[in-house]
Amino acid sequence: MMRSLAHVGILIAAITLAAPTFAVPITGELEMAGRFNTDSGDLANATSLSFSNAWVVDATGAYAPIPDGTFVRYTAFTFNPTLVGPVNPLWRITVGSDTFSFMMTALEIRAQSSSGLSLFGVGTLYATGYDPTPGTWEFFGWQTRSGRLKFMADSANVPEPGTLALLGLGLMGVGLARRRKTA
């Protein structure tokens, strides 16, 4: 019995290591600037935003291939009193054959007055060659109708298949040791 369990463990480890599936999360930050419009004409009473012009100011990590000055296409959205459904995509950037986009699923108003507006959103980033990655989006707008937009991707740590196989074998060993002790 012990020998057959060892063979099963080796077979599981071999299968796991032979066909690894690696998650490639998006990491880095993307900073944008641009012009925006509100539905009310003033920030204190604004309930929605639209963007007439937005461009990339700085890009790091997975976004590094996006050159400064690249045009960003934004989707208008309603945020007050709450976000009306997911905004998909909130923004989209295309560079050659690569596309980066962000689906915003929740939004919080951090500050809203006649002189400024601060919003914080969460959602999922999609990019060519990467796995969907949780991320955040921040908006800071001033009464001059210009604003800073910042996107940060949070990389989700996904265990490697080899690590999972070792964990499984270790648990199997603990189970066998317990079984041996009780017998």
Side-chain angles (χ1 to χ4, degrees):
M1 171 136 173
M2 194 74 131
R3 183 175 277 190
S4 64
L5 283 175
H7 286 149
V8 169
I10 291 170
L11 181 63
I12 290 171
I15 290 170
T16 304
L17 295 173
T21 55
F22 294 101
V24 183
I26 300 162
T27 58
E29 292 187 8
L30 184 60
E31 190 169 347
M32 307 166 208
R35 309 259 318 141
F36 66 91
N37 296 305
T38 65
D39 58 331
S40 65
D42 69 273
L43 294 176
N45 297 308
T47 63
S48 68
L49 284 178
S50 62
F51 299 85
S52 56
N53 192 10
W55 63 93
V56 173
V57 175
D58 190 34
T60 64
Y63 307 109
I66 303 172
D68 291 354
T70 300
F71 175 74
V72 181
R73 182 177 309 276
Y74 263 87
T75 301
F77 64 94
T78 300
F79 62 87
N80 194 351
T82 61
L83 181 66
V84 179
V87 182
N88 190 18
L90 173 62
W91 57 260
R92 179 185 307 262
I93 300 170
T94 303
V95 178
S97 61
D98 295 333
T99 300
F100 298 82
S101 64
F102 179 67
M103 177 178 66
M104 185 168 59
T105 56
L107 183 74
E108 172 187 329
I109 301 170
R110 294 243 167 116
Q112 186 171 14
S113 69
S114 61
S115 60
L117 177 63
S118 174
L119 304 174
F120 177 81
V122 296
T124 305
L125 176 79
Y126 300 91
T128 305
Y130 292 90
D131 289 333
T133 304
T136 60
W137 175 81
E138 293 180 71
F139 169 80
F140 304 99
W142 298 276
Q143 62 189 8
T144 59
R145 300 277 183 245
S146 64
R148 293 296 256 197
L149 310 125
K150 190 172 192 177
F151 180 83
M152 292 169 287
D154 302 326
S155 64
N157 291 329
V158 178
E160 295 179 30
T163 304
L164 291 174
L166 288 173
L167 176 65
L169 287 172
L171 290 173
M172 191 168 72
V174 168
L176 287 173
R178 285 183 129 206
R179 187 175 191 164
R180 202 182 279 174
K181 231 180 196 179
T182 59

